[in-house]
Amino acid sequence: MNPVDGVQAVVLGDADRARLTELCAACSDFFDLVEGQPGGEATAAELLGPIEAAYSHGAHHVWGFERDGRLVGVAELLGGHPAATAWYIGLLILRPAERRRGLGRKLVDELRAWIAARGGTVVRVVVQEQNPRARAFWEREGFALEREVVKKTGLLEGRVAILTWLIRRPGPQ
């Protein structure tokens, strides 16, 4: 992925657990809202995997976004679920000081380009009902409602919207 506003994308792994834990703790407002529990070590461990058996057929990617060596955000992607060319952005979160400044929009553009370059044709996100700002963000980015379901996330169970964005290929459609 290309650098965006001085932010570089890096692949995260077990060696990054401590700094991912710190980022998740700094973003506890988000995790409290959507999971009913603060972010921290358990959140970082879950992001790094292994992923649940139901999704293990997919390609799991965890991207950190860093500026001057400090994590300012993270994205979790799952490719090949439920179909070979389908992708999920399981999480995109930024530190509170980085939000609502245009960085998220630019990172979404980079993520979509990266997914398209790997043959992706559809990208989905899951947004909890209690997070209307996130839903508005994804809808501004061109994602549309596919369906609503009830899902357990962390300690909370409730309605979630599954939003979809179709990757348009050049040439005749």
Side-chain angles (χ1 to χ4, degrees):
M1 278 187 254
N2 296 317
V4 173
D5 290 349
V7 173
Q8 180 68 44
V10 296
V11 175
L12 297 181
D14 282 332
D16 300 294
R17 188 175 301 265
R19 63 193 203 125
L20 183 56
T21 295
E22 189 277 326
L23 174 69
C24 291
C27 296
S28 279
D29 63 326
F30 169 81
F31 294 108
D32 282 333
L33 178 66
V34 302
E35 295 184 352
Q37 58 194 359
E41 188 174 345
T43 311
E46 183 180 338
L47 285 170
L48 291 171
I51 59 176
E52 294 178 36
Y55 306 108
S56 63
H57 60 277
H60 183 235
H61 303 272
V62 182
W63 288 95
F65 301 111
E66 61 181 27
R67 180 183 292 122
D68 301 323
R70 180 175 185 235
L71 280 180
V72 298
V74 66
E76 179 189 31
L77 306 176
L78 178 65
H81 178 75
T85 61
W87 286 75
Y88 270 88
I89 300 175
L91 176 73
L92 174 61
I93 186 125
L94 298 172
R95 287 183 183 276
E98 299 289 339
R99 298 176 194 161
R100 292 179 282 286
R101 297 175 42 203
L103 178 59
R105 180 185 52 77
K106 293 174 184 175
L107 291 173
V108 168
D109 288 345
E110 286 297 316
L111 290 170
R112 289 191 284 206
W114 188 85
I115 290 168
R118 279 143 190 82
T121 60
V122 61
V123 182
R124 290 182 176 90
V125 295
V126 176
V127 181
Q128 290 75 15
E129 180 178 56
Q130 67 271 28
N131 196 355
R133 280 187 174 171
R135 182 159 178 178
F137 169 81
W138 290 108
E139 288 176 342
R140 280 192 310 273
E141 293 306 307
F143 285 74
L145 180 65
E146 179 180 312
R147 67 186 185 276
E148 291 182 336
V149 298
V150 174
K151 183 177 187 294
K152 184 168 184 179
T153 307
L155 300 176
L156 301 179
E157 184 172 327
R159 295 186 63 78
V160 299
I162 299 174
L163 306 176
T164 304
W165 184 77
L166 300 176
I167 295 175
R168 305 281 183 229
R169 299 281 179 214
Q173 298 291 319

